Amino acid sequence: MPARTGRVAAFDLRRGLGTLESTEGERFDFHCTQVADGTRSVPVGAIVRYVVVPGSLGRWEAAAVDAISVG
């Protein structure tokens, strides 16, 4: 799948779970292990590039989450 762009709408550091909002308004959850730089965290509001993959429970999730602008 091609890479998409969006922003981090929420991130719970304790649980390691976050939510991205695409430029089209779609929302995708992601786990901290999907942060591409290995830091396992990404700030809320960061602009990110990611891919969408099949996740658990039949939902689409974000993977390979890579911050391209922190703001």
Side-chain angles (χ1 to χ4, degrees):
M1 294 193 115
R4 297 180 180 202
T5 304
R7 71 172 184 82
V8 178
F11 188 77
D12 183 334
L13 185 60
R14 185 179 59 80
R15 293 177 56 209
L17 298 174
T19 303
L20 302 177
E21 185 172 319
S22 73
T23 53
E24 294 82 24
E26 297 174 292
R27 293 177 80 89
F28 300 100
D29 294 329
F30 69 97
H31 188 262
C32 64
T33 57
Q34 294 302 320
V35 177
D37 67 6
T39 61
R40 297 177 70 106
S41 69
V42 61
V44 172
I47 304 300
V48 294
R49 186 175 300 119
Y50 62 96
V51 295
V52 176
V53 298
S56 61
L57 303 174
R59 298 181 187 152
W60 293 100
E61 296 180 357
V65 177
D66 187 24
I68 54 177
S69 175
V70 178

